[in-house]
């Protein structure tokens, strides 16, 4: 096994790409700071913990990392409720710790993207506190979306927009004497009041926030809820309009009034101008949209990338995957943007568990004890095939911490340990997102599996995490970690992040795609299938981890179920 130093030096050499357009084919690793690595033993991951473990990312072979929010926050929505945009929550460290993290990452050739949350803040933000005190009609209230209630006594919410708890997106505040008065809008929890982007002061304030972090040296921003900052004029009722997870809002008549309003693009253009004052910085849109609307977010004067959530929710079926890939490439390509790919993040059930159910039955909203459980081995096999396909596609790709360890969702988390506000706000009907946020296992025989120096871990780690620990998998042929390392190295060496997708004639259930020198074959079916192969082809990569590169027999080979191969002609 190479020494850390050798690993770091090789990683820097591998990453010679320093062009301003580095993001076009970048693989970006998402770090959820609470759960990555804990330096001080309080059971909550922190910035020094991340810095100490950055070698893992260089060794893995990614290009960049994205940190979810570490700003001062009451942590109602785990940091997506920001009380101060230009500082660090003591839970995670200090601004000096950010500097140290940036220096170490950049020294390893890794770029660093941070999260920015412009749709809402925390009810603990000083501006919201000031708005409450200043009362109706004050300029302070103009920073947020305050309205009078409906009904004779104003006791009904100003409109019918639903909240995350299926109740209302509005909360009524009280005057100093306790009398009920106006309502404020919050698309998420009541502790996350929406900013009023019709107030120019809000935009000015965010320009300064962007510059604060750009001056500190961050390489870009992942923009939270970037399709929500502007609401339909007059805040009309939603009526019978509704939305799915990925909002199909191509038809304006059915577009929900709080999402994907055309006005958001003005903000994005303004932000693009700010980041363009610096070299090589990027904006990444978080917007759960159909590709045909999502592409508007990545026009040349807007964001650089947008998460491809349509891909994340595509069922594990060859025909559906092919359609999503084609639609994504065509949509983003029509505006000159690379598309991106993503299978997991901190808001969804990990793909090793989603795929552990038969085709269409993965439950939404989290999984817990008493729910139908995924088949772990089956899910992992499919997840490995899915990732191996994804990493062969052109464009950017996003990985979520732990997926390189084959981590499934923790579906047996005791309900008493849950912390996600969705679990509480839904009255326990939706289990929420804790299951994908359990602290990572690094060392199989250490307390908290090496997450921290002691036994503490803010969510309990299940005993079976032992099999997924980094130290168990590193250097072990066929492990998921080694599969990711190999796929990322080959992707880089073969330039798979660029170029065309050429579909091949294949049997149903099989995806066949030519990517430069590589033929990628994925069997999403439950039976082995004979696939055509050229004489002398060999497997450069096999998602099952079972095979060496020996030449395959031609003209056909047997592709097992839920498997991806990368084939190349054998040059002997
Ligand atoms: C998307 C974030 O990924 C999620 O974790 C958060 O709850 C919402 N935006 C609200 O900020
Ligand atoms: Mg800590």
């Amino acid at each position: 096994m190479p020494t850390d130093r050798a690993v770091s030096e090789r990683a820097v050499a591998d990453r010679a790409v320093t062009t301003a357009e580095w993001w076009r084919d970048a693989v970006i690793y998402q770090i959820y700071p609470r759960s990555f690595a804990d330096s001080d033993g309080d059971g909550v991951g922190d910035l020094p913990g991340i810095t100490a473990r950055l070698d893992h990312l260089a060794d893995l072979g990614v290009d960049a990392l994205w940190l979810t929010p570490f700003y001062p926050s009451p942590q109602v929505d785990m940091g997506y409720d920001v009380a101060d945009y230009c500082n660090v929550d003591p839970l995670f460290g200090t601004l000096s710790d950010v500097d140290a993290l940036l220096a170490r990452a950049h020294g390893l050739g890794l770029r660093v993207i941070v999260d920015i949350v412009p749709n809402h803040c925390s009810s603990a933000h000083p501006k919201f506190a000031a708005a409450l005190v200043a009362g109706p009609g004050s300029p302070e209230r103009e920073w947020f979306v305050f309205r009078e209630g409906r009904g004779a006594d104003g006791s009904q919410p100003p409109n019918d927009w639903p909240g995350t708890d299926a109740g209302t997106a509005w909360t009524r505040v009280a005057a100093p004497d306790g009398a009920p008065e106006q309502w404020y809008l919050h698309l998420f929890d009541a502790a996350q009041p929406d900013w009023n982007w019709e107030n120019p002061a809000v935009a000015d304030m965010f320009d300064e926030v962007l510059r604060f972090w750009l001056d500190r040296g961050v390489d870009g921003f992942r923009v939270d809820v970037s399709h929500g900052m502007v609401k339909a004029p007059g805040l009309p009722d939603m009526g019978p309009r509704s939305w799915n997870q990925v909002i199909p809002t191509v038809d304006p008549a059915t577009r929900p009034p709080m999402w994907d309003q055309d006005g958001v693009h003005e903000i994005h253009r303004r932000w693009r101008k700010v980041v363009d004052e610096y070299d090589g910085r990027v904006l990444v849109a978080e917007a759960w949209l159909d590709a045909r609307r999502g592409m508007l977010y990545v026009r040349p004067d807007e964001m650089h990338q947008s998460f491809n959530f349509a891909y994340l929710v595509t069922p594990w079926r060859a025909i559906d995957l092919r359609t999503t890939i084609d639609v994504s490439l065509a949509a983003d390509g029509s505006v000159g943007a690379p598309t991106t790919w993503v299978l997991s993040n901190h808001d969804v059930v990990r793909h090793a568990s989603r795929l552990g159910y038969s085709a269409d039955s993965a439950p939404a909203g989290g999984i817990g004890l008493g729910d139908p459980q995924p088949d772990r081995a089956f899910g992992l096999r499919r997840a490995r095939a899915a990732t191996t396909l994804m990493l062969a596609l052109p464009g950017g790709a996003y990985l979520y911490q732990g997926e390189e360890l084959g981590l499934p969702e923790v579906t047996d988390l005791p309900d008493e340990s849950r912390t996600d506000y969705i679990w509480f706000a839904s009255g326990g009907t939706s289990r929420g997102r804790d299951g994908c946020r359990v602290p990572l296992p690094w060392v199989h025989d250490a307390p908290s599996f090496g997450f921290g120096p002691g036994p503490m871990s803010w969510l309990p780690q299940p005993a079976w995490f032992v099999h997924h620990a980094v130290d168990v998998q590193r250097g072990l042929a066929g492990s998921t970690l080694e599969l990711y390392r190999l796929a990322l190295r080959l992707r880089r060496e073969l330039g798979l992040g660029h170029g065309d997708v050429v579909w091949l004639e294949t049997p149903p259930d099989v995806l066949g795609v030519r990517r430069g020198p590589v033929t990628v074959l994925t069997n999403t079916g439950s039976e082995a299938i004979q696939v055509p192969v050229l004489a002398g082809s060999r497997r450069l990569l096999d998602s099952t981890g079972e095979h060496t590169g020996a030449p395959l027999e031609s003209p056909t080979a047997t592709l097992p179920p839920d498997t991806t191969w990368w084939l190349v002609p054998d040059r002997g």
Side-chain angles (χ1 to χ4, degrees):
M1 200 164 141
T3 63
D4 278 356
R5 190 180 177 81
V7 165
S8 308
E9 280 167 4
R10 198 199 54 225
V12 173
D14 279 353
R15 266 182 211 93
V17 193
T18 52
T19 73
E21 301 224 310
W22 61 273
W23 44 274
R24 284 192 170 265
D25 62 349
V27 177
I28 300 179
Y29 182 101
Q30 178 190 353
I31 290 187
Y32 196 68
R34 282 191 155 256
S35 305
F36 189 71
D38 177 23
S39 71
D40 58 5
D42 68 351
V44 178
D46 44 48
L47 299 179
I50 296 169
T51 304
R53 292 276 189 199
L54 285 177
D55 278 348
H56 173 69
L57 269 58
D59 177 58
L60 185 60
V62 298
D63 302 286
L65 53 116
W66 147 41
L67 297 166
T68 58
F70 49 75
Y71 316 111
S73 160
Q75 302 289 323
V76 172
D77 189 14
M78 298 306 170
Y80 283 98
D81 46 323
V82 180
D84 177 354
Y85 286 84
C86 296
N87 214 329
V88 177
D89 196 297
L91 200 55
F92 300 121
T94 62
L95 281 171
S96 305
D97 292 328
V98 175
D99 296 340
L101 189 158
L102 288 172
R104 176 70 181 144
H106 289 157
L108 289 168
L110 297 164
R111 290 184 164 86
V112 181
I113 291 173
V114 297
D115 226 296
I116 188 157
V117 187
N119 179 69
H120 48 267
C121 60
S122 161
S123 48
H125 193 287
K127 291 231 176 286
F128 189 72
L132 289 184
V133 172
S138 63
E140 286 85 349
R141 288 243 165 144
E142 282 304 304
W143 284 77
F144 299 93
V145 186
F146 280 92
R147 293 288 184 278
E148 300 301 326
R150 290 201 282 210
D153 54 359
S155 65
Q156 297 304 308
N159 68 23
D160 67 354
W161 296 3
T164 36
D165 58 355
T168 166
W170 297 87
T171 291
R172 195 169 194 188
V173 301
D177 65 1
E181 42 115 303
Q182 289 189 311
W183 299 69
Y184 68 90
L185 177 68
H186 50 86
L187 294 185
F188 295 89
D189 191 68
Q192 294 165 292
D194 280 39
W195 291 107
N196 171 21
W197 276 87
E198 288 178 13
N199 178 352
V202 171
D204 290 343
M205 183 189 77
F206 272 98
D207 286 354
E208 293 316 306
V209 174
L210 293 175
R211 289 204 175 88
F212 176 86
W213 292 107
L214 291 165
D215 288 341
R216 256 196 140 83
V218 307
D219 298 286
F221 301 93
R222 174 267 193 195
V223 184
D224 191 60
V225 196
S226 63
H227 58 323
M229 289 108 92
V230 172
K231 281 76 179 175
L235 309 180
D237 276 342
M238 183 156 129
R241 287 173 287 191
S242 68
W243 67 82
N244 302 326
Q245 196 178 17
V246 172
I247 306 169
T249 54
V250 180
D251 174 6
T254 59
R255 193 172 302 156
M258 68 291 279
W259 302 126
D260 193 28
Q261 301 298 306
D262 291 336
V264 296
H265 297 289
E266 206 179 303
I267 302 169
H268 302 163
R269 290 196 181 98
R270 177 180 177 128
W271 283 25
R272 178 62 179 254
K273 288 200 185 109
V274 175
V275 301
D276 278 354
E277 293 166 14
Y278 301 75
D279 281 340
R281 317 295 172 98
V282 297
L283 292 169
V284 183
E286 192 234 9
W288 287 79
L289 294 173
D290 183 288
R292 286 157 292 183
R293 287 293 294 182
M295 72 185 220
L296 300 176
Y297 291 63
V298 289
R299 286 177 288 189
D301 58 347
E302 300 201 27
M303 306 231 192
H304 300 76
Q305 289 190 336
S306 170
F307 292 109
N308 189 344
F309 293 126
Y311 188 68
L312 186 151
V313 301
T314 300
W316 181 241
R317 250 196 316 264
I319 179 71
D320 297 300
L321 288 164
R322 178 171 169 165
T323 303
T324 302
I325 293 168
D326 275 341
V327 169
S328 307
L329 290 169
D332 291 337
S334 72
V335 293
T339 194
T340 64
W341 314 102
V342 60
L343 289 166
S344 282
N345 66 32
H346 65 293
D347 290 330
V348 299
V349 171
R350 284 181 178 275
H351 68 286
S353 296
R354 286 203 317 273
L355 296 172
Y357 294 85
S358 59
D360 290 322
S361 65
I367 304 161
L369 287 166
D371 291 329
Q373 296 290 306
D375 178 325
R376 274 196 214 137
F378 176 58
L380 179 56
R381 181 185 177 103
R382 284 173 150 193
R384 290 169 57 125
T387 300
T388 312
L389 168 64
M390 175 177 96
L391 291 177
L393 297 174
Y398 283 83
L399 305 179
Y400 175 50
Q401 66 178 38
E403 66 168 90
E404 78 280 19
L405 307 177
L407 271 195
E409 185 86 354
V410 178
T411 57
D412 50 5
L413 201 62
D415 284 342
E416 314 80 79
S417 62
R418 293 191 186 279
T419 67
D420 188 0
Y421 86 86
I422 290 180
W423 163 249
F424 300 105
S426 70
T429 55
S430 176
R431 285 226 154 72
R433 303 163 291 181
D434 291 306
C436 64
R437 299 174 174 181
V438 177
L440 294 191
W442 296 89
V443 182
H444 73 284
D445 58 356
S448 70
F449 297 113
F451 165 63
M456 303 269 282
S457 156
W458 70 279
L459 283 171
Q461 298 164 300
W464 50 262
F465 258 31
V466 67
H467 306 296
H468 294 273
V470 175
D471 72 333
V472 171
Q473 298 195 46
R474 184 65 176 83
L476 179 69
S479 70
T480 305
L481 179 55
E482 291 302 330
L483 177 72
Y484 270 68
R485 290 185 67 236
L486 181 59
L488 289 166
R489 178 167 69 72
L490 294 173
R491 175 186 157 94
R492 180 189 301 276
E493 285 172 8
L494 297 164
L496 296 181
H498 292 289
D500 295 336
V501 160
V502 180
W503 295 108
L504 305 172
E505 282 286 312
T506 43
D509 285 344
V510 174
L511 276 177
V513 56
R514 173 123 344 112
R515 301 281 2 274
V518 182
T519 297
V520 180
L521 293 170
T522 298
N523 180 359
T524 63
S526 51
E527 307 287 338
I529 299 181
Q530 292 295 307
V531 288
V533 295
L534 295 174
S537 294
R538 63 189 175 85
R539 276 172 290 224
L540 206 54
L541 197 64
D542 175 343
S543 65
T544 68
E546 281 162 17
H547 292 99
T548 61
L552 289 163
E553 283 187 24
S554 62
T556 61
T558 307
L559 180 62
D562 296 317
T563 300
T564 296
W565 286 346
W566 293 6
L567 302 182
V568 283
D570 189 19
R571 297 211 179 82

